[in-house]
Amino acid sequence: MNGQEKRLPKVFKNEKEPREFLDEVLKRALQEEEYYTEFRGQSFVKLRVNLDKLGVHIDGIDAVEFQFSYNQAKGAYQLITAYPSKGKNVLGYVWDREKQSGKWIRMG
């Protein structure tokens, strides 16, 4: 994000675990109405998923953000990025652009 590489917290044992973790979080989130309804009629979707609400626990990560863009050629949403956005083990800060003002704000 912002042209900077973000590192995952050191709570995973190998490179497969982050992918499995993100897949599980997204699978559970998309079963909840508050998340899947965000995709209706939007070309860009940003989901900030609170892990406690889903019953997912991983030490030091409280929320994960997923960003999707609609690909008209494929007729489907594509995942752009996913990263831990809140928690004590999240390294550094995540910056995001406010929709209304266009200003960059620090998240988490």
Side-chain angles (χ1 to χ4, degrees):
M1 180 126 190
N2 307 341
Q4 297 176 355
E5 182 178 315
K6 300 290 181 190
R7 294 181 297 157
L8 287 172
K10 294 185 179 188
V11 296
F12 300 105
K13 295 177 187 157
N14 60 51
E15 64 277 355
K16 287 184 180 183
E17 283 187 3
R19 174 60 191 255
E20 291 168 356
F21 164 70
L22 292 172
D23 286 347
E24 181 65 23
V25 169
L26 187 57
K27 179 182 170 184
R28 288 186 187 195
L30 292 177
Q31 292 175 358
E32 301 291 326
E33 184 176 7
E34 75 176 282
Y35 297 115
Y36 71 73
T37 56
E38 292 292 319
F39 288 89
R40 295 185 181 153
Q42 302 294 323
S43 60
F44 178 81
V45 176
K46 181 169 31 175
L47 299 178
R48 178 176 264 202
V49 179
N50 182 327
L51 300 184
D52 283 341
K53 284 185 177 180
L54 298 179
V56 175
H57 176 75
I58 192 140
D59 190 39
I61 301 176
D62 300 328
V64 175
E65 186 162 307
F66 296 89
Q67 295 181 9
F68 298 87
S69 179
Y70 186 75
N71 182 324
Q72 288 194 354
K74 293 184 179 183
Y77 286 92
Q78 291 183 297
L79 180 64
I80 298 170
T81 188
Y83 53 88
S85 60
K86 185 177 178 187
K88 68 179 181 182
N89 281 338
V90 176
L91 302 174
Y93 294 102
V94 176
W95 291 84
D96 195 14
R97 188 176 289 266
E98 274 187 329
K99 285 183 182 180
Q100 287 81 13
S101 70
K103 293 180 183 177
W104 287 100
I105 57 171
R106 190 167 75 184
M107 308 294 288

